[in-house]
Amino acid sequence: MKKLFLAAALLCGIALTSHADDLAYRPFRVDAFGGVALSTFNEYRAGAMFGLEPKYALSQHLSVGLRGEVFLMNRDIEDPDDIIVALIIPDFQLSALATADWWFFPEKTLRPFVGAGLGAYFQPEEERTINGQTRVTPSKTNFGAMLRAGVDVWHVRLSGEYNFSGKSSANERMDYFSIKAAFFFGGGKK
């Protein structure tokens, strides 16, 4: 098994180095991004996110990477006694995804792309006190997915993403749509 893994790693390394000379852009880059998000469900409203995504171009059209993101949001909590109609409480979610992007016109300066990702979405434990009553929601990690589309121009990326992040431990949907702007380091024209 070790020999098989070593042989596969060696073949991947050879394939990656042989394609690096054929690329119009440098193969390695890191995206630093920020943006705004809107929950697709009623309890959560708007929020902001930021993160990093290192990636490697396997060919002119395809790159793979790892995305780490923090999503900060405001949540409305209904008061069970109807004394307070809604209470806005800050909340957050972390995600770590393996990603892939496909560029349609890789040689151009304006490069539209589509992408997807699979990985984990983590919601930490929450403790809320409303009118003297404490409610604890345990942490939860979900398997989730992401779809995106956008455009790269020079060292700037603009994109729209939909994150299918599953349900929280309180059985609330946590999916969200985001609009992001990123600046990337590396990955420029050769």
Side-chain angles (χ1 to χ4, degrees):
M1 186 67 173
K2 288 181 183 179
K3 290 180 182 179
L4 179 63
F5 179 74
L6 183 60
L10 182 62
L11 286 174
C12 286
I14 291 169
L16 292 177
T17 56
S18 67
H19 286 298
D21 294 335
D22 298 336
L23 300 175
Y25 290 84
R26 290 183 180 86
F28 183 74
R29 77 183 218 191
V30 177
D31 294 5
F33 60 85
V36 295
L38 182 62
S39 175
T40 55
F41 296 90
N42 292 334
E43 184 179 343
Y44 290 88
R45 291 197 216 170
M49 83 270 310
F50 59 90
L52 290 174
E53 184 175 352
K55 49 180 77 178
Y56 189 85
L58 298 177
S59 72
Q60 284 282 79
H61 294 278
L62 179 66
S63 73
V64 294
L66 295 172
R67 184 192 84 177
E69 179 177 272
V70 177
F71 172 35
L72 305 167
M73 64 196 108
N74 285 327
R75 177 162 65 164
D76 293 342
I77 300 293
E78 296 295 328
D79 182 10
D81 298 326
D82 289 331
I83 296 170
I84 301 171
V85 176
L87 181 64
I88 297 176
I89 297 175
D91 203 354
F92 73 96
Q93 175 175 298
L94 305 172
S95 64
L97 297 145
T99 62
D101 289 334
W102 181 267
W103 287 283
F104 292 103
F105 308 110
E107 300 85 14
K108 306 290 184 189
T109 302
L110 183 71
R111 300 180 295 157
F113 69 91
V114 294
L118 294 173
Y121 290 84
F122 173 74
Q123 294 106 27
E125 180 180 296
E126 301 171 311
E127 184 174 320
R128 302 253 164 42
T129 303
I130 300 174
N131 296 330
Q133 294 181 344
T134 302
R135 176 182 155 206
V136 176
T137 304
S139 64
K140 184 170 184 183
T141 301
N142 292 325
F143 179 77
M146 173 270 303
L147 296 174
R148 66 181 165 197
V151 64
D152 286 352
V153 182
W154 296 292
H155 282 270
V156 176
R157 167 176 275 211
L158 301 172
S159 65
E161 293 184 0
Y162 192 85
N163 289 268
F164 302 91
S165 56
K167 292 185 177 184
S168 70
S169 54
N171 208 28
E172 303 159 335
R173 294 293 302 180
M174 301 289 287
D175 299 351
Y176 60 96
F177 175 76
S178 61
I179 297 173
K180 296 181 180 177
F183 182 79
F184 55 88
F185 303 95
K189 282 194 172 186
K190 287 185 173 184

